[in-house]
Amino acid sequence: MPFIENVSYTDLERLALERLIPALLSHGFCYVDGLLGDLAGSAVLDQVVEMHRSGQLQDGRLAGSIPGVSRKSIRGDQIAWVSGAERGCEAISFLLNLIDRLISVCASRLGDKAIRERSKAMVACYPGNGAGYVKHVDNPNRDGRRLTCIYYLNKNWNPKEHGGVLRIFPEGKSYVADIKPLFDRLLIFWSDRRNPHEVQPSYSTRYAITVWYFDSEERAQAKKRFRDLTASTEQQGSSSS
C-alpha cells in the first residue's frame, strides 16, 4: 500500500514497530517497497531526471585522495545536494517530509532522542558506464551520521543485466545482503562501522536520493574536533611564518 500524502501517524508507527525497528535491531538494515506509490514516485523520478538532463549533477567528491588512484575508480557517481525547497524539487520535498516523519517515529521508539537533524538530500546518478562505489563505511570516524536512508528510482531494473546492486557486509555476520535499487524502495541502515557497503558497477543509468540522520551529540563533538583542529593548524601556521 503506497503511503500517500494523508498517511497517518498510526500507519507510520505500525510500519516502524512491525518492520523497520525489528530489522534494524536484528540485522542493522531494512527496506520498504512501494513507499510513495507509482504516481508520487514517478514525480520524484521526473524531477531527478530533469536535474540530470539540465547538468545540475557534478562528480561526487572523496574525503581524501590516494596518490595514483583515480576518483572514478573509487566512486563514479554524479551528485547534487538539495534541501527540497528549490524550484522543481516539490516532489522531492514531499519524499523528504515523509522520511522525516518515519525516522522520527523510529527514533522515538528506539529511545534514540539524539536523532534530531539530518543532512540535505544527495541526489545521485551512476551514468551506466560501469561506474560504482567501492566498499566503504559512511561514518567510520564518528562524524555524527547515525542512519543512512536511500530512496531508489529505477523502473524495470534487472540486476543481472544492469548491475548496480548495493551490497552490505554486516559487521560480525557470515552473510552479505544484496539490495536491488528498485523503483520506490526505501533502504535504511546504520551509518557506522556496522555496515560496510559497496555499489556494484552499473550498466544502466541508476538514480537514488540519500539522506543521513544525525546523532546531535556526536555531531556537535565532531564539529568541535574540527574547530579545534582548524584553530590548532592556524596557530601553527602563524607561529611558523
Side-chain angles (χ1 to χ4, degrees):
M1 185 181 99
F3 289 91
I4 53 176
E5 187 160 9
N6 61 355
V7 62
S8 72
Y9 184 85
T10 307
D11 290 332
L12 291 175
E13 194 170 45
R14 186 181 303 120
L15 178 62
L17 282 174
E18 293 178 1
R19 293 190 47 198
L20 303 187
I21 293 170
L24 277 170
L25 292 175
S26 59
H27 303 297
F29 65 91
C30 56
Y31 62 84
V32 182
D33 285 326
L35 183 77
L36 298 182
D38 187 64
L39 196 65
S42 295
V44 176
L45 174 59
D46 288 346
Q47 290 182 353
V48 168
V49 168
E50 177 57 24
M51 289 176 70
H52 186 206
R53 189 198 64 77
S54 61
Q56 294 179 52
L57 307 185
Q58 306 295 322
D59 287 346
R61 293 183 179 179
L62 298 175
S65 60
I66 304 170
V69 177
S70 74
R71 182 201 64 81
K72 281 193 185 330
S73 69
I74 297 174
R75 68 178 293 184
D77 56 344
Q78 298 173 319
I79 67 168
W81 294 93
V82 300
S83 69
E86 299 87 352
R87 188 176 176 184
C89 289
E90 295 80 8
I92 295 172
S93 176
F94 172 72
L95 168 69
L96 297 179
N97 287 333
L98 181 60
I99 300 174
D100 284 346
R101 292 165 67 192
L102 190 56
I103 295 301
S104 175
V105 175
C106 286
S108 65
R109 290 295 179 159
L110 285 165
D112 206 329
K113 297 185 176 67
I115 298 180
R116 292 192 297 269
E117 55 183 319
R118 67 158 164 80
S119 68
K120 283 187 171 184
M122 184 183 79
V123 176
C125 168
Y126 289 86
N129 55 3
Y133 198 152
V134 299
K135 185 178 176 183
H136 65 284
V137 172
D138 284 356
N139 176 14
N141 301 312
R142 297 185 58 80
D143 66 12
R145 284 182 286 181
R146 182 94 165 119
L147 284 170
T148 301
C149 298
I150 308 175
Y151 179 73
Y152 293 112
L153 288 157
N154 309 294
K155 294 186 176 183
N156 307 311
W157 191 268
N158 177 356
K160 288 183 179 173
E161 182 183 343
H162 302 141
V165 165
L166 185 134
R167 173 167 286 181
I168 300 176
F169 303 83
E171 183 186 51
K173 301 287 201 309
S174 58
Y175 58 82
V176 297
D178 286 347
I179 311 296
K180 301 168 189 174
L182 305 182
F183 174 75
D184 205 20
R185 168 175 284 180
L186 177 69
L187 169 66
I188 305 171
F189 57 89
W190 301 114
S191 305
D192 58 21
R193 292 177 184 273
R194 284 174 281 187
N195 284 310
H197 55 283
E198 67 185 15
V199 177
Q200 297 183 344
S202 297
Y203 300 101
S204 186
T205 305
R206 177 189 186 276
Y207 293 115
I209 297 175
T210 303
V211 288
W212 288 271
Y213 288 83
F214 296 117
D215 177 312
S216 300
E217 291 156 20
E218 184 182 297
R219 182 132 179 95
Q221 290 167 1
K223 286 179 176 177
K224 183 178 184 303
R225 285 199 306 273
F226 181 75
R227 284 195 302 270
D228 292 348
L229 181 66
T230 305
S232 166
T233 306
E234 287 173 352
Q235 233 172 16
Q236 288 173 4
S238 61
S239 63
S240 62
S241 57

